[in-house]
């Protein structure tokens, strides 16, 4: 069974800064839950908003550059 890898991208209201939070688990939903939990713990500003959530089932086939966009 493959591991799922989720990247949550957050941005402040002015959209001049992005933050990335990740989660990895054996199920897609658990991976998303971990990424959201990491966002909740690590967000820098109360005005940060979730910009995108992307989940990959085979992180080895994804280029790092495409994740950070």
């Amino acid at each position: 069974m493959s591991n799922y890898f989720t990247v949550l991208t957050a941005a402040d209201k002015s959209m001049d800064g992005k933050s990335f939070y990740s989660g990895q688990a054996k199920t897609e939903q658990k991976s998303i839950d971990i990424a959201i939990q990491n966002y909740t713990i690590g967000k820098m500003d109360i005005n940060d908003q979730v910009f995108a959530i992307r989940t990959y089932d085979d992180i080895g086939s994804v280029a790092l550059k495409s994740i950070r966009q």
Side-chain angles (χ1 to χ4, degrees), residues 40-65:
T40 303
I41 293 168
K43 67 181 177 178
M44 299 298 240
D45 189 354
I46 197 165
N47 294 325
D48 286 354
Q49 298 177 8
V50 174
F51 185 67
I53 299 176
R54 294 186 181 107
T55 301
Y56 305 93
D57 62 352
D58 183 11
I59 193 64
S61 66
V62 179
L64 182 59
K65 184 176 181 178

Side-chain angles (χ1 to χ4, degrees), residues 13-59:
K13 284 191 176 186
S14 64
M15 298 294 282
D16 62 356
K18 289 184 185 176
S19 300
F20 300 91
Y21 303 91
S22 63
Q24 186 172 355
K26 291 190 182 230
T27 66
E28 181 179 9
Q29 187 58 53
K30 184 67 175 169
S31 174
I32 293 168
D33 290 345
I34 292 169
I36 292 172
Q37 181 180 19
N38 289 337
Y39 162 71
T40 303
I41 293 168
K43 67 181 177 178
M44 299 298 240
D45 189 354
I46 197 165
N47 294 325
D48 286 354
Q49 298 177 8
V50 174
F51 185 67
I53 299 176
R54 294 186 181 107
T55 301
Y56 305 93
D57 62 352
D58 183 11
I59 193 64

